[in-house]
């Protein structure tokens, strides 16, 4: 484990530069609290949401709706977000701008890349079945997988995300990491040759299928709402639902789930997620994959996790607590996050991954010389 008390000289100089800049521009306001500097940035804006204090039940529902709005903004840059952007970018800088620092911190370690799919490798589109990634992104992923162990970690079912990506050399963790499969093409990253296969929630399949049918029926009166089965979890998409109907949709979904206490509801970007109440998430999937690759309890690994969603925060938290690697949030607007860096959109993700490949090729060449 990385010594959390040691401050990297590059990180330290960045701290000094940023603090000087923040002082000169009065950006360090009381709404920002500092935590640690141990290789990560721990400065967050205050929570965006407020609980509306009506009756006890209403407060709960309103908080939930506020939370849906916070994770699914309808405007790309509201006035409030424009105010927060300078501070936020200061503490979650662009991974492209900080590329040299990132690779410097990975020196001597094996980089492993973990990538969310929707909103990270592909744009968020109105029809979730048409969230295709570009050929350029596919070619970049192929290159990345050639140089680093690479896993796609998605809320989609394993089969669905594989059909989008169509590369046999990757690891896939579908259903929020509850369904994991290793590469089918032989590759040299893994320390042993055992196949990676893991299904954390198979006993929940009958229940998930039952709830899927009920949700399809209950939500069909909400224009634009769609329910997607992702094998071990369900997604209720509200990308095409008018904001005035979000509360009614959320209430319908919550009323169904009242009968199924073994399932839990969470929110993503324009989506409500239903999954088994088990201690398993994208963070656990990340740990499982690192262990499968032989990097459990290893100091020689530098995981890079890129994602745009609330469910990706579990993985960012794991990296933060391990003191290893970095989390990169894909977002154009300020969001509360445990990630250290940001990228604006899938095209910037593609640029970042291409630079990693170029850097790896160049550094391997230098090493041979
Ligand atoms: Mg996503």
């Amino acid at each position: 484990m990385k010594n959390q008390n040691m401050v990297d000289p590059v990180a330290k100089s960045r701290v000094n530069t940023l603090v000087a800049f923040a002082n000169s521009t009065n950006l360090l306001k009381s709404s920002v609290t500092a935590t640690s500097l141990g290789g990560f940035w721990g400065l967050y804006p205050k929570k965006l949401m407020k609980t509306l204090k009506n009756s006890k039940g209403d407060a709960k529902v309103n908080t939930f709706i506020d939370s849906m709005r916070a994770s699914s903004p309808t405007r790309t840059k509201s006035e409030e977000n424009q105010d927060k952007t300078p501070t936020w970018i200061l503490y979650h800088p662009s991974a492209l701008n900080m590329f040299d620092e990132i690779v410097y911190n990975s020196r001597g370690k094996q980089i492993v890349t973990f990538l969310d799919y929707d909103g990270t490798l592909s744009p968020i589109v109105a029809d979730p079945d048409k969230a295709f990634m570009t050929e350029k992104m596919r070619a970049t992923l192929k290159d990345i997988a050639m140089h680093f162990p690479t896993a796609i970690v998605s809320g989609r079912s394993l089969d669905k995300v594989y059909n989008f990506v169509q590369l046999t050399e990757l690891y896939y963790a579908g259903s929020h990491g509850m369904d994991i499969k290793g590469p089918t093409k032989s590759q040299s990253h893994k320390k042993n040759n055992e196949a990676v296969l893991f299904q954390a929630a198979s006993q929940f399949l009958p229940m998930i299928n039952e709830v899927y049918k009920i949700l399809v029926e209950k939500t069909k009166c909400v224009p634009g709402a769609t329910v997607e089965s992702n094998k071990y979890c369900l997604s209720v998409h509200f990308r095409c639902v008018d904001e005035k109907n979000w509360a009614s949709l959320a209430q319908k979904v919550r009323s169904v789930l009242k009968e199924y206490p073994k399932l839990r509801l969470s929110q993503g970007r324009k989506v409500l997620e239903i999954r088994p109440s088990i201690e398993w998430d994208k963070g656990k999937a990340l740990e499982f994959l690192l262990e499968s690759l032989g990097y459990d309890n290893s100091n020689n690994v530098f995981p890079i996790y890129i994602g745009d969603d609330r469910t990706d925060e579990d993985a960012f938290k794991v990296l933060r607590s391990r003191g290893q690697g970095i989390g990169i949030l894909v977002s154009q607007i300020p969001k509360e996050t445990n990630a250290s860096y940001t990228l604006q959109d899938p095209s910037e993700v593609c640029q970042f991954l291409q630079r990693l490949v170029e850097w790896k090729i160049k550094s391997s060449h230098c090493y041979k010389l």
Side-chain angles (χ1 to χ4, degrees), residues 64 87 149 171 185 201 251 258 269 289 304 314-315 333 363-364:
F64 194 79
T87 315
Y171 290 82
K185 204 181 235 183
Q251 270 167 338
K258 264 186 194 163
R269 201 165 150 197
L289 282 164
I304 297 179
D314 294 317
I333 57 161
S363 55
S364 305

Side-chain angles (χ1 to χ4, degrees), residues 30-78:
S30 58
S31 62
V32 178
T33 53
T35 52
S36 76
L37 299 174
F40 285 103
W41 294 92
L43 298 152
Y44 310 103
K46 263 185 179 173
K47 279 194 168 185
L48 298 172
M49 301 170 295
K50 283 179 185 172
T51 303
L52 299 182
K53 291 182 180 174
N54 303 337
S55 70
K56 203 177 172 186
D58 284 349
K60 227 176 171 184
V61 171
N62 286 333
T63 305
F64 194 79
I65 304 302
D66 283 352
S67 190
M68 282 170 78
R69 290 196 182 103
S71 55
S72 311
T74 49
R75 292 169 292 277
T76 50
K77 285 202 172 186
S78 66

Side-chain angles (χ1 to χ4, degrees), residues 116 118-120 308-309 312:
D116 167 49
D118 291 85
T120 299
D308 73 320
D309 221 328
D312 298 310

